[in-house]
């Protein structure tokens, strides 16, 4: 950064807001509370960077995660996120498939109560994939393994058979 803020390439209004300052007038000094547990800044360094402390580099974080295991957990969380996106897309396609399958069904029912019950069941079938995904995601927040298992069970159970088989009649 330039010594004068007027020569900066990107100068935004409000850059001089005192609430945006970290409280230190020395730009080379970082707040200790901003560092992860077990990390220190070497004293007297020309360009201070946070490095793991040599005394407790292998000690676990307070939440139980090891500092050295972060790249593996990041890769695992990326794979889990991609998998969750694929499953969410499948459930969305199942909802569209159920909608198309229900729209194809011809209703030869003349009784008003039976016709209402049939329509209710058909629209509940359309909503079932979204309801399953939402309930599974909400009820299994503490257990990712159970979430994946229940979502995979839903993929098998909620397949839109009227759309897949191409049937359009009750008989």
């Amino acid at each position: 950064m330039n010594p004068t803020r007027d020569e900066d390439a990107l100068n935004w209004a409000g850059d001089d807001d005192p609430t945006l300052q970290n409280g230190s007038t020395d730009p080379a000094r970082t707040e200790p509370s901003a560092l992860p547990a077990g990390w220190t800044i070497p004293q007297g360094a020309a360009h201070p960077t946070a490095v793991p402390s040599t005394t407790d580099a292998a000690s676990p974080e307070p939440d139980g995660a090891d500092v050295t295991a972060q790249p593996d957990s990041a890769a695992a969380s990326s794979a889990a996120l991609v998998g969750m996106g694929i499953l969410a897309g499948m459930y969305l396609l199942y909802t569209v498939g159920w909608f198309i399958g229900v729209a194809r069904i011809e209703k030869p029912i003349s009784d008003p109560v039976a016709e209402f019950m049939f329509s209710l069941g058909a629209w509940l079938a359309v909503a079932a994939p979204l309801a399953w995904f939402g309930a599974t995601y909400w009820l299994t927040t503490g257990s990712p393994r159970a979430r994946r298992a229940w979502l995979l069970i839903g993929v098998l159970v909620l397949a839109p058979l009227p759309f897949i088989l191409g049937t359009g009649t009750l008989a």
Side-chain angles (χ1 to χ4, degrees), residues 109-136:
I109 302 171
S110 61
D111 182 27
V113 174
E115 185 177 345
F116 170 75
M117 294 303 289
F118 181 80
S119 296
L120 179 66
W123 291 112
L124 287 176
V126 171
L130 291 178
W132 185 288
F133 184 82
T136 302

Side-chain angles (χ1 to χ4, degrees), residues 64-158:
D66 191 7
V67 174
T68 58
Q70 288 178 355
D72 294 334
S73 65
S77 67
S78 294
L81 184 64
V82 169
M84 186 64 68
I86 290 171
L87 285 172
M90 288 181 68
Y91 277 94
L92 183 63
L93 288 175
Y94 276 16
T95 302
V96 170
W98 273 108
F99 184 77
I100 293 171
V102 164
R104 287 183 186 170
I105 295 176
E106 299 170 8
K107 299 177 239 170
I109 302 171
S110 61
D111 182 27
V113 174
E115 185 177 345
F116 170 75
M117 294 303 289
F118 181 80
S119 296
L120 179 66
W123 291 112
L124 287 176
V126 171
L130 291 178
W132 185 288
F133 184 82
T136 302
Y137 193 81
W138 181 55
L139 293 173
T140 59
T141 55
S143 176
R145 182 175 289 163
R147 177 181 291 165
R148 284 190 300 268
W150 281 108
L151 286 175
L152 289 174
I153 289 169
V155 165
L156 297 175
V157 171
L158 297 171

Side-chain angles (χ1 to χ4, degrees), residues 40-66:
T40 60
I41 296 177
Q43 298 297 325
H47 298 287
T49 56
V51 294
S53 175
T54 56
T55 57
D56 38 323
S59 68
E61 291 280 337
D63 61 354
D66 191 7

